[in-house]
Amino acid sequence: MEFIKANYLNTTTQLSVNSNTGTALNLFNRDPLYQYYSDQFANDNTTSVISITFDNTTSVSRIALIDTNFKEFSIFYNGSTSNSISILNSDTTTISYLNNSDQNKYFRFNTLQVTSITINAKSTQTANQEKLLGLLLLSDLQVSLNKIPNAQNYKPKIVPKQVVHRLSDGGTRINTVRRKKESVINLDYIDTDQRNDLYDLYVSNTEFNFCPFGTTTSWDGFLFEAVWDGSFDFYEYSDNAASSGFSGKISIKETPV
């Protein structure tokens, strides 16, 4: 379970695409109804290029692609295809795929100091379609949990914001404005270092992304930008012996789009 920084991609001035600039802003729009898509690139012999340039050298160790149809694609940094990204705990050694079949990919790698990130999308999972990408997230690790809670202590959910109308005939009509992700994580027996890392996250008063189980294969894409709601409880001892560690609850809720 990882807490990573807010998306470094957050403005169109960072973006350069070689097709359909009008939808480029959807690359960092977290609303799943919107996607970036190429235009007149529905041919597996054409390459859709997405490039993100940073104002300053930036630490990057996490990349997520959500709702994509890329089959053959690669990601490199600092403008050179020779700068491949070696990834950890993955189905391949670098971010270079010939036959990707996953819609969602979460890449972990040792921190790189970069000035730009580039995606070359060459073909699609269904042949000769426009290249699609719902969300591109570029970030760096903040906190990784040393202990994974059991199922009873991890409560993820999707909560709708709804306007409910009770009609005169007894029927109900519901207008769903938006659906938001939330998670509650209860932890026991964490050590002082982990407690302090979580406290730094809590007092930062900034948005972060929560990715519980990101992988490069068969990932469900469950990741969201969040804030920590409520109190910080991790000064409570887990047992009578102080050396046993600390217990507490993390309650996080998704931010507005």
Side-chain angles (χ1 to χ4, degrees), residues 103-174:
Q103 293 182 328
N104 306 301
K105 309 286 275 188
Y106 186 77
F107 300 111
R108 298 178 177 86
F109 47 93
N110 294 324
T111 301
L112 296 171
Q113 302 299 320
V114 306
T115 55
S116 68
I117 297 284
T118 303
I119 302 173
N120 282 351
K122 300 177 182 179
S123 67
T124 53
Q125 293 167 18
T126 299
N128 300 317
Q129 288 188 334
E130 296 291 351
K131 283 72 172 178
L132 305 175
L133 180 55
L135 178 68
L136 172 60
L137 186 141
L138 309 174
S139 187
D140 196 17
L141 179 67
Q142 277 192 279
V143 181
S144 179
L145 294 184
N146 297 333
K147 296 178 180 291
I148 303 299
N150 59 34
Q152 290 74 27
N153 286 326
Y154 172 53
K155 301 295 183 183
K157 56 184 176 179
I158 297 175
V159 180
K161 173 64 175 179
Q162 296 177 324
V163 178
V164 180
H165 303 275
R166 308 294 183 188
L167 304 182
S168 59
D169 66 353
T172 300
R173 179 174 288 121
I174 297 177

Side-chain angles (χ1 to χ4, degrees), residues 148-206:
I148 303 299
N150 59 34
Q152 290 74 27
N153 286 326
Y154 172 53
K155 301 295 183 183
K157 56 184 176 179
I158 297 175
V159 180
K161 173 64 175 179
Q162 296 177 324
V163 178
V164 180
H165 303 275
R166 308 294 183 188
L167 304 182
S168 59
D169 66 353
T172 300
R173 179 174 288 121
I174 297 177
N175 178 31
T176 299
V177 179
R178 192 80 70 179
R179 294 179 176 87
K180 292 293 184 181
K181 299 181 179 71
E182 299 180 5
S183 288
V184 175
I185 306 163
N186 290 284
L187 298 173
D188 296 310
Y189 303 105
I190 67 168
D191 61 26
T192 301
D193 288 342
Q194 182 87 104
R195 190 269 314 271
N196 292 342
D197 288 342
L198 289 172
Y199 181 73
D200 289 342
L201 179 67
Y202 177 75
V203 299
S204 67
N205 297 321
T206 58

Side-chain angles (χ1 to χ4, degrees), residues 33-67:
L33 294 176
Y34 297 93
Q35 287 184 311
Y36 167 75
Y37 56 92
S38 62
D39 184 30
Q40 299 184 45
F41 276 56
N43 185 318
D44 286 350
N45 292 319
T46 63
T47 299
S48 179
V49 180
I50 300 168
S51 184
I52 299 88
T53 302
F54 304 109
D55 291 337
N56 302 294
T57 301
T58 301
S59 300
V60 179
S61 65
R62 299 295 185 270
I63 295 176
L65 310 179
I66 296 179
D67 291 334

Side-chain angles (χ1 to χ4, degrees), residues 66-84:
I66 296 179
D67 291 334
T68 186
N69 68 346
F70 300 165
K71 179 182 179 181
E72 182 180 355
F73 73 96
S74 62
I75 302 179
F76 53 93
Y77 64 97
N78 292 355
S80 174
T81 55
S82 64
N83 290 330
S84 59

